Amino acid sequence: MEQTFIMIKPDGVQRGLVGEIIGRFEKKGFTLKGLKFITVDQSFAEKHYADLSTKPFFNGLVEYIISGPVVAMVWEGKNVVTTGRKIIGATNPADSAPGTIRGDYAIDIGRNVIHGSDAVESARKEIALWFPEGIAEWRSSLHSWIYE
Ligand code: YYY
Ligand code: MG
């Protein structure tokens, strides 16, 4: 089953959006496979966002991600990478549809509350980076009520 890496950024934690965000993924029917509350350092954040290292906003992005604790998660389910990105909404909250997390809870692109992997391959890399110890093996007893 497909997995994705989802992170509630420091603004989402500070603003008390953790429960709301986790609830949206839970209620959709996705399965929580890993979760940690963690403050990362600069070199770790630079690794996570390595693909963006040449962008003008890179330093500010890294400063923001290390500015406080984040909630790092692995969610599992059919098409969870693409559907997770839809639940999150467009990168710039000015363009995120109402009903998405960024559309409902964010205004500025540099305070957009949440990260989600953009492809199955990047999800695999991000899960390995954030959960080197591995993740829980379990199957929800709701499985047959969610999948036909
Ligand atoms: O995957 P996603 O988070 O939607 O966008 P990315 O293009 O991967 O950029 C990562 C992160 O960088 C974005 O969530 C906000 C920030 N950012 C920015 O501050 N300014 C931009 N012009 C583009 C992205
Ligand atoms: Mg991205």
Short mmCIF file of all heavy atoms in Angstrom, two decimals, residues 63-104:
data_model
loop_
_atom_site.label_atom_id
_atom_site.label_comp_id
_atom_site.label_asym_id
_atom_site.label_seq_id
_atom_site.Cartn_x
_atom_site.Cartn_y
_atom_site.Cartn_z
N GLU A 63 14.99 28.29 8.01
CA GLU A 63 14.83 28.99 9.30
C GLU A 63 13.44 28.73 9.90
O GLU A 63 13.30 28.53 11.11
CB GLU A 63 15.03 30.50 9.11
CG GLU A 63 16.49 30.91 8.96
CD GLU A 63 17.34 30.47 10.15
OE1 GLU A 63 16.96 30.78 11.31
OE2 GLU A 63 18.36 29.79 9.93
N TYR A 64 12.45 28.77 9.05
CA TYR A 64 11.05 28.55 9.47
C TYR A 64 10.84 27.12 9.97
O TYR A 64 10.28 26.90 11.05
CB TYR A 64 10.16 28.90 8.28
CG TYR A 64 8.78 28.34 8.16
CD1 TYR A 64 7.84 28.43 9.19
CD2 TYR A 64 8.38 27.76 6.96
CE1 TYR A 64 6.54 27.94 9.00
CE2 TYR A 64 7.10 27.29 6.76
CZ TYR A 64 6.18 27.36 7.79
OH TYR A 64 4.91 26.89 7.60
N ILE A 65 11.37 26.16 9.26
CA ILE A 65 11.15 24.75 9.63
C ILE A 65 11.86 24.39 10.94
O ILE A 65 11.38 23.55 11.70
CB ILE A 65 11.59 23.81 8.47
CG1 ILE A 65 10.68 23.99 7.25
CG2 ILE A 65 11.64 22.35 8.91
CD1 ILE A 65 9.19 23.78 7.53
N ILE A 66 12.99 25.06 11.23
CA ILE A 66 13.72 24.74 12.47
C ILE A 66 13.29 25.64 13.63
O ILE A 66 13.84 25.54 14.73
CB ILE A 66 15.26 24.83 12.27
CG1 ILE A 66 15.72 26.28 12.04
CG2 ILE A 66 15.69 23.94 11.11
CD1 ILE A 66 17.25 26.41 11.97
N SER A 67 12.30 26.52 13.41
CA SER A 67 11.94 27.52 14.42
C SER A 67 11.14 26.96 15.59
O SER A 67 10.88 27.67 16.56
CB SER A 67 11.16 28.67 13.76
OG SER A 67 9.90 28.19 13.29
N GLY A 68 10.72 25.71 15.51
CA GLY A 68 9.95 25.10 16.60
C GLY A 68 9.65 23.66 16.24
O GLY A 68 9.99 23.20 15.15
N PRO A 69 8.98 22.96 17.16
CA PRO A 69 8.67 21.56 16.90
C PRO A 69 7.68 21.38 15.75
O PRO A 69 6.83 22.24 15.50
CB PRO A 69 8.06 21.07 18.22
CG PRO A 69 7.65 22.30 18.95
CD PRO A 69 8.53 23.41 18.49
N VAL A 70 7.83 20.25 15.07
CA VAL A 70 6.93 19.86 13.99
C VAL A 70 6.34 18.49 14.33
O VAL A 70 6.86 17.80 15.21
CB VAL A 70 7.66 19.79 12.63
CG1 VAL A 70 8.30 21.13 12.29
CG2 VAL A 70 8.71 18.68 12.61
N VAL A 71 5.26 18.14 13.65
CA VAL A 71 4.70 16.79 13.79
C VAL A 71 4.94 16.06 12.47
O VAL A 71 4.38 16.43 11.44
CB VAL A 71 3.20 16.82 14.15
CG1 VAL A 71 2.63 15.41 14.19
CG2 VAL A 71 2.99 17.52 15.49
N ALA A 72 5.81 15.06 12.53
CA ALA A 72 6.19 14.28 11.34
C ALA A 72 5.39 12.99 11.34
O ALA A 72 5.29 12.30 12.36
CB ALA A 72 7.68 13.97 11.39
N MET A 73 4.80 12.69 10.18
CA MET A 73 3.90 11.53 10.12
C MET A 73 4.08 10.73 8.83
O MET A 73 4.44 11.28 7.79
CB MET A 73 2.43 11.99 10.16
CG MET A 73 2.04 12.65 11.46
SD MET A 73 0.34 13.30 11.38
CE MET A 73 0.63 14.83 10.50
N VAL A 74 3.76 9.46 8.92
CA VAL A 74 3.61 8.61 7.74
C VAL A 74 2.14 8.19 7.67
O VAL A 74 1.59 7.69 8.65
CB VAL A 74 4.51 7.36 7.82
CG1 VAL A 74 4.28 6.47 6.60
CG2 VAL A 74 5.96 7.77 7.94
N TRP A 75 1.53 8.45 6.52
CA TRP A 75 0.13 8.03 6.30
C TRP A 75 0.11 7.06 5.13
O TRP A 75 0.86 7.23 4.16
CB TRP A 75 -0.76 9.24 6.00
CG TRP A 75 -1.04 10.05 7.22
CD1 TRP A 75 -0.33 11.10 7.70
CD2 TRP A 75 -2.13 9.84 8.15
NE1 TRP A 75 -0.89 11.57 8.87
CE2 TRP A 75 -1.99 10.82 9.16
CE3 TRP A 75 -3.19 8.94 8.24
CZ2 TRP A 75 -2.89 10.92 10.24
CZ3 TRP A 75 -4.08 9.03 9.31
CH2 TRP A 75 -3.93 10.01 10.29
N GLU A 76 -0.78 6.08 5.22
CA GLU A 76 -0.84 5.02 4.22
C GLU A 76 -2.25 4.89 3.64
O GLU A 76 -3.24 5.10 4.35
CB GLU A 76 -0.45 3.69 4.88
CG GLU A 76 -0.36 2.52 3.93
CD GLU A 76 0.14 1.28 4.66
OE1 GLU A 76 1.36 1.13 4.79
OE2 GLU A 76 -0.72 0.48 5.10
N GLY A 77 -2.32 4.56 2.37
CA GLY A 77 -3.61 4.29 1.74
C GLY A 77 -3.50 4.35 0.22
O GLY A 77 -2.49 4.80 -0.32
N LYS A 78 -4.56 3.93 -0.44
CA LYS A 78 -4.58 3.96 -1.91
C LYS A 78 -4.45 5.41 -2.40
O LYS A 78 -5.22 6.27 -1.95
CB LYS A 78 -5.91 3.35 -2.39
CG LYS A 78 -5.97 3.10 -3.88
CD LYS A 78 -7.40 2.82 -4.35
CE LYS A 78 -7.82 1.40 -4.12
NZ LYS A 78 -9.16 1.11 -4.70
N ASN A 79 -3.47 5.66 -3.27
CA ASN A 79 -3.24 7.01 -3.84
C ASN A 79 -3.00 8.09 -2.80
O ASN A 79 -3.33 9.26 -3.02
CB ASN A 79 -4.42 7.44 -4.71
CG ASN A 79 -4.44 6.71 -6.03
OD1 ASN A 79 -3.39 6.49 -6.63
ND2 ASN A 79 -5.61 6.31 -6.48
N VAL A 80 -2.43 7.72 -1.66
CA VAL A 80 -2.31 8.69 -0.56
C VAL A 80 -1.39 9.87 -0.90
O VAL A 80 -1.59 10.98 -0.38
CB VAL A 80 -1.88 7.99 0.76
CG1 VAL A 80 -0.44 7.51 0.67
CG2 VAL A 80 -2.09 8.90 1.96
N VAL A 81 -0.42 9.68 -1.81
CA VAL A 81 0.46 10.80 -2.15
C VAL A 81 -0.35 11.90 -2.85
O VAL A 81 -0.35 13.07 -2.42
CB VAL A 81 1.65 10.34 -3.02
CG1 VAL A 81 2.42 11.53 -3.56
CG2 VAL A 81 2.58 9.43 -2.21
N THR A 82 -1.02 11.53 -3.93
CA THR A 82 -1.80 12.51 -4.70
C THR A 82 -2.98 13.04 -3.91
O THR A 82 -3.23 14.26 -3.88
CB THR A 82 -2.30 11.86 -6.01
OG1 THR A 82 -1.16 11.44 -6.75
CG2 THR A 82 -3.12 12.81 -6.83
N THR A 83 -3.71 12.15 -3.26
CA THR A 83 -4.88 12.60 -2.49
C THR A 83 -4.45 13.45 -1.30
O THR A 83 -5.11 14.44 -0.97
CB THR A 83 -5.71 11.40 -2.04
OG1 THR A 83 -6.07 10.64 -3.20
CG2 THR A 83 -7.00 11.85 -1.34
N GLY A 84 -3.31 13.09 -0.68
CA GLY A 84 -2.79 13.89 0.42
C GLY A 84 -2.49 15.32 -0.02
O GLY A 84 -2.79 16.28 0.68
N ARG A 85 -1.89 15.46 -1.22
CA ARG A 85 -1.61 16.80 -1.76
C ARG A 85 -2.92 17.57 -2.01
O ARG A 85 -2.96 18.79 -1.85
CB ARG A 85 -0.81 16.69 -3.06
CG ARG A 85 0.56 16.07 -2.90
CD ARG A 85 1.64 17.04 -2.54
NE ARG A 85 1.87 18.04 -3.55
CZ ARG A 85 2.86 18.94 -3.48
NH1 ARG A 85 3.69 18.94 -2.42
NH2 ARG A 85 3.03 19.83 -4.41
N LYS A 86 -3.96 16.86 -2.41
CA LYS A 86 -5.26 17.54 -2.62
C LYS A 86 -5.86 18.00 -1.29
O LYS A 86 -6.44 19.08 -1.21
CB LYS A 86 -6.24 16.59 -3.32
CG LYS A 86 -5.93 16.37 -4.79
CD LYS A 86 -6.99 15.48 -5.42
CE LYS A 86 -6.62 15.15 -6.87
NZ LYS A 86 -7.35 13.96 -7.34
N ILE A 87 -5.72 17.18 -0.27
CA ILE A 87 -6.23 17.55 1.06
C ILE A 87 -5.47 18.78 1.58
O ILE A 87 -6.05 19.66 2.21
CB ILE A 87 -6.09 16.35 2.04
CG1 ILE A 87 -7.07 15.24 1.66
CG2 ILE A 87 -6.28 16.79 3.49
CD1 ILE A 87 -6.84 13.93 2.41
N ILE A 88 -4.19 18.84 1.28
CA ILE A 88 -3.33 19.95 1.72
C ILE A 88 -3.63 21.23 0.95
O ILE A 88 -3.69 22.31 1.54
CB ILE A 88 -1.84 19.55 1.58
CG1 ILE A 88 -1.48 18.51 2.65
CG2 ILE A 88 -0.93 20.77 1.66
CD1 ILE A 88 -0.12 17.87 2.45
N GLY A 89 -3.78 21.13 -0.35
CA GLY A 89 -4.06 22.31 -1.18
C GLY A 89 -2.81 22.88 -1.82
O GLY A 89 -1.68 22.48 -1.52
N ALA A 90 -3.00 23.86 -2.70
CA ALA A 90 -1.91 24.46 -3.47
C ALA A 90 -0.85 25.08 -2.55
O ALA A 90 -1.17 25.53 -1.45
CB ALA A 90 -2.46 25.52 -4.41
N THR A 91 0.40 25.11 -3.04
CA THR A 91 1.53 25.60 -2.25
C THR A 91 1.28 27.00 -1.70
O THR A 91 1.54 27.27 -0.52
CB THR A 91 2.80 25.62 -3.13
OG1 THR A 91 3.03 24.28 -3.60
CG2 THR A 91 4.01 26.10 -2.35
N ASN A 92 0.78 27.89 -2.56
CA ASN A 92 0.48 29.26 -2.11
C ASN A 92 -0.96 29.33 -1.61
O ASN A 92 -1.89 29.15 -2.39
CB ASN A 92 0.68 30.24 -3.27
CG ASN A 92 0.59 31.67 -2.80
OD1 ASN A 92 0.06 31.95 -1.71
ND2 ASN A 92 1.11 32.59 -3.60
N PRO A 93 -1.15 29.58 -0.32
CA PRO A 93 -2.51 29.59 0.24
C PRO A 93 -3.45 30.57 -0.47
O PRO A 93 -4.67 30.41 -0.41
CB PRO A 93 -2.30 29.99 1.70
CG PRO A 93 -0.89 29.59 1.99
CD PRO A 93 -0.13 29.80 0.71
N ALA A 94 -2.86 31.56 -1.16
CA ALA A 94 -3.71 32.48 -1.93
C ALA A 94 -4.43 31.74 -3.05
O ALA A 94 -5.49 32.18 -3.52
CB ALA A 94 -2.86 33.61 -2.50
N ASP A 95 -3.86 30.61 -3.48
CA ASP A 95 -4.45 29.80 -4.56
C ASP A 95 -5.09 28.51 -4.06
O ASP A 95 -5.64 27.75 -4.86
CB ASP A 95 -3.37 29.43 -5.58
CG ASP A 95 -2.66 30.64 -6.15
OD1 ASP A 95 -3.33 31.67 -6.36
OD2 ASP A 95 -1.42 30.57 -6.35
N SER A 96 -4.98 28.21 -2.78
CA SER A 96 -5.50 26.95 -2.24
C SER A 96 -7.01 27.06 -2.11
O SER A 96 -7.52 28.03 -1.54
CB SER A 96 -4.91 26.65 -0.86
OG SER A 96 -3.53 26.88 -0.82
N ALA A 97 -7.71 26.05 -2.60
CA ALA A 97 -9.18 26.07 -2.54
C ALA A 97 -9.66 25.99 -1.09
O ALA A 97 -9.07 25.28 -0.28
CB ALA A 97 -9.74 24.90 -3.34
N PRO A 98 -10.73 26.72 -0.77
CA PRO A 98 -11.38 26.52 0.53
C PRO A 98 -11.74 25.04 0.67
O PRO A 98 -12.11 24.39 -0.31
CB PRO A 98 -12.64 27.38 0.44
CG PRO A 98 -12.33 28.42 -0.60
CD PRO A 98 -11.42 27.74 -1.59
N GLY A 99 -11.63 24.52 1.87
CA GLY A 99 -11.86 23.10 2.08
C GLY A 99 -10.56 22.32 2.15
O GLY A 99 -10.52 21.22 2.69
N THR A 100 -9.49 22.90 1.60
CA THR A 100 -8.17 22.29 1.78
C THR A 100 -7.56 22.86 3.06
O THR A 100 -8.00 23.90 3.57
CB THR A 100 -7.24 22.59 0.59
OG1 THR A 100 -6.95 24.00 0.54
CG2 THR A 100 -7.88 22.16 -0.73
N ILE A 101 -6.53 22.18 3.57
CA ILE A 101 -5.91 22.63 4.82
C ILE A 101 -5.31 24.03 4.65
O ILE A 101 -5.57 24.94 5.44
CB ILE A 101 -4.85 21.61 5.29
CG1 ILE A 101 -5.56 20.32 5.73
CG2 ILE A 101 -4.01 22.19 6.44
CD1 ILE A 101 -4.64 19.14 5.93
N ARG A 102 -4.51 24.22 3.58
CA ARG A 102 -3.92 25.54 3.37
C ARG A 102 -4.99 26.57 3.01
O ARG A 102 -4.89 27.74 3.40
CB ARG A 102 -2.84 25.47 2.29
CG ARG A 102 -1.57 24.76 2.75
CD ARG A 102 -0.67 24.45 1.58
NE ARG A 102 0.63 23.89 1.96
CZ ARG A 102 1.45 23.31 1.10
NH1 ARG A 102 1.12 23.20 -0.18
NH2 ARG A 102 2.61 22.82 1.51
N GLY A 103 -6.00 26.15 2.27
CA GLY A 103 -7.08 27.06 1.89
C GLY A 103 -7.87 27.53 3.11
O GLY A 103 -8.35 28.66 3.16
N ASP A 104 -7.98 26.68 4.10
CA ASP A 104 -8.77 27.02 5.29
C ASP A 104 -7.95 27.70 6.38
O ASP A 104 -8.49 28.47 7.16
CB ASP A 104 -9.40 25.75 5.88
CG ASP A 104 -10.55 25.22 5.03
OD1 ASP A 104 -10.99 25.93 4.10
OD2 ASP A 104 -11.00 24.09 5.30
#
